[in-house]
Structure formats: C-alpha cells, structure tokens
Amino acid sequence: QVQLVESGGGSVQAGASLRLSCAASTPSSDTMGWFRQAPGKEREFVAGISWSGGSLYADSAKGRFTISRDSAKNTVYLQMNTLKPEDTAVYYCAARAGLFLSSDRNEYGFWGQGTQVTVSS
C-alpha cells in the first residue's frame, strides 16, 4: 500500500510559478501521475512520469509544466510555470503499478489527498 502526500499548492497571480511535491511512503518504481479537478468538472490528467523517467503531458500542460522524480527521496514534482486562472483546481498525485505511462485515471490505484492551486487574474 503506497501512501502519497502532496504539498506546494497555494494562491498565486496569473503568470506566477508553483512547484508541487508528492512524497511516497515507500520506494517505488511505479508510474506516477498528476491529475487535477476543478469545481464541477471531472478529474483530468496533467502529466505522468514512468519509472525510467519518460514523461507524458496533457496538451494544456505542454510547454508550461514539467514533471520530474527524485527516486532517492521517493518524491515526484510538478513544476508549473506561467500559471493561468484556468489552472485553478485541486491537484492530485497518483501512482499505478505498471511500467508504462498512462493518462487514464482508472489505471491509477493510489491517490493522495490533493492540494489546492488557485490562480487569480
């Protein structure tokens, strides 16, 4: 059972940056992902990173967000630059027991509690 704890959310102005962190309770070679859910909307994929460091991004994140992992610290990061009001959401870290990247939230079995990101114009 992997426990995931997110941190780093907050309230910022448009154009600012934030870095989210996700600490896992155990060393893992799982694929990790970041998802987000805005009020009244479904949870959507943002970015994922494989055990080997390969990455996948949603179109909305390409060029602005960067996912990375520090295996020594069992931590995954999401660097978010040039934030927009439409990025406002609760951001969730997730892990799946597989070696391949996936943007399908149903393939992720472990989830963190989420961290709020609010971007004002």
Side-chain angles (χ1 to χ4, degrees):
Q1 187 82 7
V2 177
Q3 292 183 330
L4 305 172
V5 179
E6 302 98 333
S7 61
S11 296
V12 296
Q13 296 284 331
S17 298
L18 282 174
R19 189 177 78 158
L20 306 182
S21 299
C22 171
S25 59
T26 60
S28 173
S29 61
D30 289 346
T31 298
M32 305 292 293
W34 284 97
F35 290 76
R36 67 187 183 185
Q37 188 167 18
K41 295 187 177 181
E42 293 189 353
R43 192 169 299 186
E44 64 177 7
F45 174 77
V46 177
I49 188 165
S50 69
W51 68 275
S52 62
S55 58
L56 179 69
Y57 294 93
D59 287 344
S60 59
K62 289 179 181 177
R64 299 188 301 127
F65 295 2
T66 303
I67 189 170
S68 61
R69 68 191 302 167
D70 184 337
S71 297
K73 296 182 178 180
N74 302 331
T75 301
V76 175
Y77 304 97
L78 184 68
Q79 177 68 43
M80 304 187 295
N81 298 327
T82 319
L83 284 162
K84 304 175 181 180
E86 50 263 44
D87 294 318
T88 295
V90 177
Y91 283 70
Y92 296 91
C93 177
R96 65 181 296 265
L99 300 180
F100 302 105
L101 290 164
S102 174
S103 61
D104 184 348
R105 65 179 185 267
N106 294 315
E107 295 194 8
Y108 289 78
F110 303 99
W111 293 85
Q113 83 289 350
T115 185
Q116 177 71 46
V117 172
T118 302
V119 184
S120 57
S121 58

Coordinates of all heavy atoms in Angstrom, one line a residue, residues 34-103:
W34 N 0.2 13.2 -12.2 CA -0.5 14.3 -11.6 C -1.8 14.5 -12.3 O -1.9 14.5 -13.6 CB 0.3 15.6 -11.7 CG 1.4 15.7 -10.7 CD1 2.7 15.4 -10.9 CD2 1.3 16.1 -9.3 NE1 3.5 15.6 -9.8 CE2 2.7 16.0 -8.8 CE3 0.3 16.5 -8.5 CZ2 2.9 16.3 -7.5 CZ3 0.6 16.8 -7.2 CH2 1.9 16.7 -6.7
F35 N -2.9 14.7 -11.6 CA -4.2 15.0 -12.1 C -4.7 16.2 -11.4 O -4.2 16.6 -10.4 CB -5.2 13.8 -11.8 CG -4.9 12.5 -12.6 CD1 -3.8 11.7 -12.3 CD2 -5.6 12.2 -13.7 CE1 -3.5 10.6 -13.0 CE2 -5.3 11.0 -14.5 CZ -4.3 10.2 -14.1
R36 N -5.8 16.8 -12.0 CA -6.4 17.9 -11.3 C -7.9 17.9 -11.5 O -8.4 17.3 -12.5 CB -5.8 19.2 -11.9 CG -6.2 19.5 -13.3 CD -5.4 20.8 -13.8 NE -5.8 21.1 -15.2 CZ -5.2 22.1 -15.8 NH1 -4.2 22.8 -15.3 NH2 -5.6 22.4 -17.1
Q37 N -8.6 18.5 -10.6 CA -10.1 18.6 -10.7 C -10.5 19.9 -10.3 O -10.3 20.4 -9.1 CB -10.7 17.5 -9.8 CG -12.2 17.3 -10.0 CD -12.7 16.1 -9.3 OE1 -12.1 15.5 -8.5 NE2 -13.9 15.7 -9.7
A38 N -11.2 20.6 -11.2 CA -11.8 21.9 -10.9 C -13.2 21.7 -10.5 O -13.8 20.7 -10.8 CB -11.7 22.8 -12.2
P39 N -13.8 22.7 -9.8 CA -15.2 22.5 -9.3 C -16.1 22.3 -10.5 O -16.1 22.9 -11.5 CB -15.5 23.9 -8.7 CG -14.2 24.4 -8.3 CD -13.2 23.9 -9.3
G40 N -17.0 21.2 -10.4 CA -17.9 20.9 -11.4 C -17.4 20.2 -12.6 O -18.2 19.9 -13.5
K41 N -16.1 19.8 -12.5 CA -15.5 19.2 -13.7 C -14.9 17.8 -13.3 O -14.7 17.6 -12.1 CB -14.4 20.0 -14.3 CG -14.9 21.3 -14.9 CD -13.8 22.0 -15.7 CE -14.3 23.3 -16.3 NZ -13.2 24.0 -17.1
E42 N -14.7 17.0 -14.3 CA -14.1 15.7 -14.0 C -12.6 15.8 -13.7 O -12.0 16.8 -14.2 CB -14.3 14.7 -15.2 CG -15.8 14.3 -15.4 CD -15.9 13.2 -16.4 OE1 -14.9 12.9 -17.0 OE2 -17.1 12.7 -16.5
R43 N -12.1 14.8 -13.0 CA -10.7 14.8 -12.8 C -9.9 14.5 -14.1 O -10.3 13.6 -14.8 CB -10.3 13.7 -11.7 CG -8.9 13.8 -11.2 CD -8.7 12.9 -10.0 NE -9.6 13.3 -8.9 CZ -9.6 12.7 -7.7 NH1 -8.6 11.8 -7.4 NH2 -10.4 13.1 -6.7
E44 N -8.9 15.3 -14.4 CA -8.3 15.2 -15.7 C -6.8 15.0 -15.5 O -6.2 15.5 -14.5 CB -8.5 16.4 -16.6 CG -8.0 17.7 -16.0 CD -8.2 18.9 -17.0 OE1 -8.9 18.7 -18.0 OE2 -7.7 20.0 -16.7
F45 N -6.2 14.3 -16.4 CA -4.7 14.1 -16.4 C -4.0 15.4 -16.7 O -4.4 16.2 -17.6 CB -4.4 13.0 -17.5 CG -3.0 12.7 -17.7 CD1 -2.3 12.0 -16.8 CD2 -2.3 13.3 -18.8 CE1 -0.9 11.7 -17.1 CE2 -1.0 13.0 -19.1 CZ -0.3 12.2 -18.2
V46 N -2.9 15.5 -16.0 CA -2.0 16.7 -16.3 C -0.6 16.2 -16.8 O -0.2 16.7 -17.9 CB -1.8 17.5 -15.0 CG1 -0.8 18.6 -15.2 CG2 -3.1 18.0 -14.4
A47 N 0.0 15.3 -16.1 CA 1.3 14.8 -16.5 C 1.6 13.5 -15.8 O 1.1 13.2 -14.8 CB 2.4 15.8 -16.1
G48 N 2.5 12.7 -16.5 CA 2.9 11.4 -15.9 C 4.3 11.2 -16.1 O 4.9 11.7 -17.1
I49 N 4.9 10.3 -15.3 CA 6.3 10.0 -15.4 C 6.5 8.5 -15.1 O 6.0 8.0 -14.2 CB 7.2 10.9 -14.5 CG1 8.7 10.7 -14.9 CG2 6.9 10.7 -13.1 CD1 9.6 11.8 -14.3
S50 N 7.3 7.9 -16.0 CA 7.5 6.4 -15.8 C 8.7 6.2 -14.9 O 9.4 7.1 -14.5 CB 7.8 5.8 -17.2 OG 9.0 6.2 -17.7
W51 N 8.9 4.9 -14.6 CA 10.0 4.6 -13.7 C 11.3 4.9 -14.3 O 12.3 5.2 -13.6 CB 9.9 3.1 -13.4 CG 10.2 2.2 -14.6 CD1 9.4 1.8 -15.6 CD2 11.5 1.7 -15.0 NE1 10.0 1.1 -16.5 CE2 11.4 1.0 -16.2 CE3 12.8 1.8 -14.4 CZ2 12.4 0.4 -16.8 CZ3 13.8 1.1 -15.1 CH2 13.6 0.4 -16.3
S52 N 11.4 4.9 -15.6 CA 12.6 5.2 -16.3 C 12.8 6.7 -16.6 O 13.9 7.1 -17.1 CB 12.7 4.5 -17.6 OG 11.7 4.9 -18.5
G53 N 11.8 7.5 -16.2 CA 11.9 9.0 -16.5 C 11.2 9.5 -17.7 O 11.2 10.7 -17.9
G54 N 10.6 8.6 -18.5 CA 9.8 9.1 -19.6 C 8.6 9.9 -19.1 O 8.1 9.6 -18.0
S55 N 8.2 10.9 -19.9 CA 7.1 11.7 -19.4 C 6.0 11.9 -20.5 O 6.3 11.7 -21.7 CB 7.6 13.1 -19.0 OG 8.3 13.7 -20.1
L56 N 4.9 12.2 -20.0 CA 3.7 12.4 -20.9 C 2.9 13.6 -20.3 O 2.8 13.7 -19.1 CB 2.8 11.2 -20.9 CG 1.5 11.2 -21.7 CD1 1.8 11.2 -23.1 CD2 0.6 10.0 -21.3
Y57 N 2.5 14.5 -21.2 CA 1.7 15.7 -20.7 C 0.4 15.9 -21.5 O 0.3 15.5 -22.6 CB 2.6 16.9 -21.0 CG 3.9 17.0 -20.2 CD1 5.1 16.5 -20.7 CD2 3.9 17.6 -18.9 CE1 6.2 16.5 -20.0 CE2 5.1 17.6 -18.2 CZ 6.2 17.1 -18.7 OH 7.4 17.2 -18.0
A58 N -0.5 16.4 -20.7 CA -1.8 16.9 -21.4 C -1.4 18.1 -22.2 O -0.4 18.8 -21.9 CB -2.8 17.2 -20.3
D59 N -2.2 18.3 -23.2 CA -1.9 19.5 -24.1 C -1.9 20.8 -23.3 O -1.1 21.7 -23.6 CB -3.0 19.6 -25.2 CG -2.8 18.5 -26.3 OD1 -1.7 17.9 -26.3 OD2 -3.8 18.2 -27.0
S60 N -2.8 20.9 -22.3 CA -2.8 22.1 -21.5 C -1.6 22.4 -20.7 O -1.3 23.5 -20.2 CB -4.0 22.0 -20.6 OG -3.9 20.9 -19.7
A61 N -0.8 21.3 -20.5 CA 0.4 21.4 -19.7 C 1.7 21.5 -20.5 O 2.7 22.0 -20.0 CB 0.5 20.2 -18.8
K62 N 1.6 21.1 -21.7 CA 2.9 21.2 -22.6 C 3.5 22.6 -22.7 O 2.7 23.5 -22.9 CB 2.5 20.6 -24.0 CG 2.3 19.1 -24.0 CD 1.9 18.7 -25.4 CE 1.6 17.2 -25.4 NZ 1.2 16.8 -26.8
G63 N 4.8 22.6 -22.4 CA 5.5 23.9 -22.5 C 5.4 24.7 -21.3 O 6.2 25.7 -21.2
R64 N 4.6 24.4 -20.3 CA 4.5 25.2 -19.1 C 4.8 24.4 -17.9 O 5.3 24.9 -16.9 CB 3.0 25.8 -19.0 CG 2.7 26.7 -20.1 CD 1.3 27.4 -19.7 NE 0.2 26.5 -19.6 CZ -0.6 26.5 -18.5 NH1 -0.4 27.3 -17.5 NH2 -1.5 25.6 -18.4
F65 N 4.4 23.1 -17.9 CA 4.6 22.2 -16.7 C 5.7 21.2 -17.0 O 5.9 20.8 -18.1 CB 3.3 21.5 -16.4 CG 2.2 22.4 -15.9 CD1 2.3 23.7 -15.9 CD2 0.9 21.8 -15.6 CE1 1.2 24.5 -15.5 CE2 -0.1 22.5 -15.2 CZ 0.0 23.9 -15.1
T66 N 6.4 20.9 -15.9 CA 7.4 19.8 -16.0 C 7.3 18.9 -14.9 O 7.3 19.3 -13.7 CB 8.8 20.5 -16.0 OG1 9.0 21.4 -17.1 CG2 9.9 19.4 -16.2
I67 N 7.2 17.6 -15.2 CA 7.2 16.6 -14.1 C 8.5 15.9 -14.0 O 9.3 15.7 -15.0 CB 6.1 15.5 -14.5 CG1 5.9 14.6 -13.3 CG2 6.4 14.7 -15.7 CD1 4.7 13.6 -13.4
S68 N 8.9 15.7 -12.8 CA 10.2 15.0 -12.5 C 10.1 14.2 -11.3 O 9.1 14.3 -10.5 CB 11.3 16.1 -12.3 OG 11.0 16.9 -11.2
R69 N 11.1 13.3 -11.1 CA 11.1 12.5 -9.9 C 12.5 12.3 -9.3 O 13.5 12.3 -10.0 CB 10.4 11.1 -10.2 CG 11.2 10.2 -11.1 CD 10.4 9.0 -11.5 NE 9.9 8.2 -10.4 CZ 9.0 7.2 -10.5 NH1 8.4 7.0 -11.7 NH2 8.6 6.6 -9.5
D70 N 12.5 12.2 -8.0 CA 13.8 12.0 -7.3 C 13.6 10.7 -6.5 O 13.0 10.6 -5.5 CB 14.0 13.2 -6.3 CG 15.4 13.0 -5.6 OD1 15.9 11.9 -5.5 OD2 15.9 14.0 -5.1
S71 N 14.1 9.6 -7.1 CA 13.9 8.3 -6.6 C 14.6 8.2 -5.2 O 14.0 7.4 -4.4 CB 14.5 7.2 -7.5 OG 13.8 7.3 -8.8
A72 N 15.6 8.8 -5.0 CA 16.3 8.8 -3.7 C 15.4 9.3 -2.6 O 15.5 8.9 -1.4 CB 17.6 9.5 -3.7
K73 N 14.5 10.2 -2.9 CA 13.6 10.8 -1.9 C 12.2 10.3 -2.0 O 11.3 10.8 -1.3 CB 13.6 12.4 -2.1 CG 15.0 13.0 -1.8 CD 14.9 14.5 -1.9 CE 16.2 15.2 -1.6 NZ 16.1 16.7 -1.8
N74 N 12.0 9.4 -3.0 CA 10.6 8.9 -3.2 C 9.6 10.0 -3.5 O 8.5 10.0 -2.9 CB 10.1 8.0 -2.0 CG 11.0 6.9 -1.7 OD1 11.7 6.3 -2.6 ND2 11.1 6.5 -0.5
T75 N 10.1 11.0 -4.2 CA 9.3 12.2 -4.4 C 9.1 12.5 -5.9 O 10.1 12.4 -6.7 CB 9.9 13.4 -3.7 OG1 9.9 13.1 -2.3 CG2 9.1 14.6 -3.9
V76 N 7.9 12.9 -6.3 CA 7.7 13.4 -7.6 C 7.3 14.9 -7.6 O 6.6 15.3 -6.6 CB 6.5 12.6 -8.3 CG1 6.1 13.1 -9.6 CG2 6.9 11.1 -8.4
Y77 N 7.7 15.6 -8.5 CA 7.4 17.0 -8.6 C 6.7 17.4 -9.8 O 6.8 16.8 -10.8 CB 8.8 17.8 -8.5 CG 9.7 17.5 -7.4 CD1 10.7 16.6 -7.5 CD2 9.5 18.1 -6.1 CE1 11.5 16.2 -6.5 CE2 10.3 17.8 -5.1 CZ 11.3 16.9 -5.2 OH 12.1 16.5 -4.2
L78 N 5.9 18.5 -9.7 CA 5.3 19.1 -10.8 C 5.6 20.6 -10.8 O 5.1 21.4 -9.9 CB 3.8 18.9 -10.8 CG 3.1 19.5 -12.1 CD1 3.5 18.6 -13.3 CD2 1.6 19.4 -11.9
Q79 N 6.5 21.0 -11.6 CA 6.9 22.5 -11.8 C 5.9 23.1 -12.7 O 5.8 22.7 -13.9 CB 8.3 22.6 -12.3 CG 8.7 24.1 -12.5 CD 8.8 24.8 -11.2 OE1 9.4 24.4 -10.2 NE2 8.3 26.1 -11.2
M80 N 5.2 24.1 -12.2 CA 4.2 24.8 -13.0 C 4.5 26.2 -13.2 O 4.7 27.0 -12.3 CB 2.8 24.7 -12.4 CG 2.4 23.2 -12.0 SD 0.7 23.1 -11.4 CE 0.8 24.0 -9.9
N81 N 4.8 26.6 -14.5 CA 5.1 28.0 -14.8 C 4.0 28.6 -15.6 O 3.2 28.0 -16.2 CB 6.4 28.0 -15.6 CG 7.6 27.4 -14.9 OD1 7.7 27.5 -13.6 ND2 8.5 26.7 -15.6
T82 N 4.1 30.0 -15.6 CA 3.1 30.8 -16.4 C 1.7 30.3 -16.1 O 0.9 30.0 -17.0 CB 3.4 30.7 -17.9 OG1 4.8 30.7 -18.2 CG2 2.7 31.8 -18.7
L83 N 1.4 30.2 -14.9 CA 0.0 29.7 -14.4 C -1.1 30.7 -14.9 O -0.9 31.9 -15.0 CB 0.0 29.6 -12.9 CG 0.7 28.4 -12.4 CD1 1.0 28.5 -10.9 CD2 -0.1 27.1 -12.7
K84 N -2.2 30.0 -15.3 CA -3.4 30.7 -15.8 C -4.5 30.5 -14.8 O -4.6 29.5 -14.1 CB -3.7 30.2 -17.2 CG -2.6 30.3 -18.2 CD -3.0 29.6 -19.5 CE -1.9 29.7 -20.5 NZ -2.3 29.0 -21.8
P85 N -5.5 31.4 -14.8 CA -6.7 31.1 -14.0 C -7.4 29.8 -14.2 O -7.9 29.1 -13.3 CB -7.6 32.3 -14.4 CG -6.7 33.4 -14.8 CD -5.6 32.7 -15.5
E86 N -7.3 29.3 -15.5 CA -7.9 28.0 -15.8 C -7.1 26.8 -15.2 O -7.6 25.7 -15.3 CB -8.1 27.8 -17.3 CG -6.9 28.1 -18.1 CD -6.9 29.6 -18.7 OE1 -7.2 30.5 -17.9 OE2 -6.5 29.7 -19.9
D87 N -6.0 27.1 -14.6 CA -5.2 26.0 -13.9 C -5.7 25.8 -12.5 O -5.3 24.9 -11.8 CB -3.7 26.4 -13.9 CG -3.1 26.4 -15.3 OD1 -3.4 25.5 -16.1 OD2 -2.3 27.3 -15.5
T88 N -6.6 26.7 -12.1 CA -7.2 26.5 -10.7 C -7.9 25.2 -10.6 O -8.8 24.9 -11.3 CB -8.2 27.7 -10.5 OG1 -7.4 28.9 -10.5 CG2 -8.9 27.5 -9.1
A89 N -7.5 24.5 -9.6 CA -8.1 23.1 -9.3 C -7.4 22.5 -8.1 O -6.4 23.1 -7.6 CB -7.8 22.2 -10.5
V90 N -7.9 21.4 -7.7 CA -7.2 20.6 -6.7 C -6.4 19.6 -7.5 O -6.8 19.0 -8.4 CB -8.2 19.8 -5.8 CG1 -7.5 18.9 -4.8 CG2 -9.1 20.8 -5.0
Y91 N -5.1 19.6 -7.1 CA -4.1 18.7 -7.8 C -3.9 17.5 -7.0 O -3.6 17.6 -5.8 CB -2.9 19.5 -8.1 CG -3.0 20.5 -9.3 CD1 -3.8 21.6 -9.1 CD2 -2.4 20.3 -10.5 CE1 -3.9 22.5 -10.2 CE2 -2.5 21.1 -11.5 CZ -3.3 22.3 -11.4 OH -3.4 23.1 -12.4
Y92 N -4.0 16.3 -7.7 CA -3.8 15.1 -7.0 C -2.6 14.3 -7.6 O -2.4 14.3 -8.9 CB -5.0 14.2 -7.2 CG -6.3 14.7 -6.6 CD1 -7.1 15.5 -7.3 CD2 -6.6 14.4 -5.3 CE1 -8.3 16.0 -6.7 CE2 -7.8 14.8 -4.7 CZ -8.6 15.7 -5.4 OH -9.7 16.1 -4.9
C93 N -1.8 13.7 -6.8 CA -0.8 12.8 -7.2 C -1.3 11.4 -7.2 O -2.2 11.0 -6.3 CB 0.4 12.9 -6.2 SG 1.8 11.8 -6.4
A94 N -0.9 10.6 -8.1 CA -1.3 9.2 -8.2 C -0.2 8.3 -8.6 O 0.7 8.7 -9.3 CB -2.5 9.2 -9.2
A95 N -0.4 7.0 -8.3 CA 0.6 6.0 -8.6 C -0.1 4.8 -9.2 O -1.2 4.5 -8.8 CB 1.4 5.6 -7.4
R96 N 0.5 4.2 -10.2 CA 0.0 2.9 -10.7 C 1.1 1.9 -10.8 O 2.2 2.2 -11.0 CB -0.6 3.2 -12.1 CG 0.4 3.6 -13.2 CD -0.3 3.8 -14.5 NE -0.9 2.6 -15.1 CZ -0.3 1.8 -15.9 NH1 0.9 2.1 -16.4 NH2 -1.0 0.7 -16.4
A97 N 0.6 0.6 -10.6 CA 1.5 -0.5 -10.6 C 1.8 -1.0 -12.0 O 1.3 -2.0 -12.4 CB 1.0 -1.6 -9.7
G98 N 2.5 -0.2 -12.8 CA 2.8 -0.6 -14.1 C 4.0 0.3 -14.6 O 4.3 1.3 -14.1
L99 N 4.7 -0.2 -15.6 CA 5.9 0.4 -16.1 C 5.6 1.5 -17.2 O 6.5 2.2 -17.5 CB 6.9 -0.6 -16.7 CG 7.3 -1.7 -15.7 CD1 8.3 -2.7 -16.4 CD2 8.0 -1.0 -14.5
F100 N 4.4 1.5 -17.7 CA 4.1 2.3 -18.8 C 3.3 3.5 -18.5 O 2.4 3.5 -17.6 CB 3.5 1.5 -20.0 CG 4.3 0.4 -20.4 CD1 4.0 -0.9 -20.0 CD2 5.4 0.6 -21.2 CE1 4.7 -2.0 -20.4 CE2 6.2 -0.5 -21.6 CZ 5.9 -1.8 -21.2
L101 N 3.5 4.6 -19.2 CA 2.7 5.8 -18.9 C 1.3 5.7 -19.3 O 0.9 5.0 -20.3 CB 3.4 7.0 -19.7 CG 4.7 7.5 -19.2 CD1 5.4 8.3 -20.3 CD2 4.6 8.2 -17.9
S102 N 0.4 6.3 -18.5 CA -1.0 6.3 -18.8 C -1.6 7.6 -18.4 O -1.3 8.2 -17.4 CB -1.7 5.1 -18.1 OG -3.1 5.2 -18.3
S103 N -2.6 8.1 -19.2 CA -3.3 9.3 -18.9 C -4.7 8.9 -18.3 O -5.5 9.8 -18.0 CB -3.4 10.2 -20.1 OG -4.1 9.5 -21.1

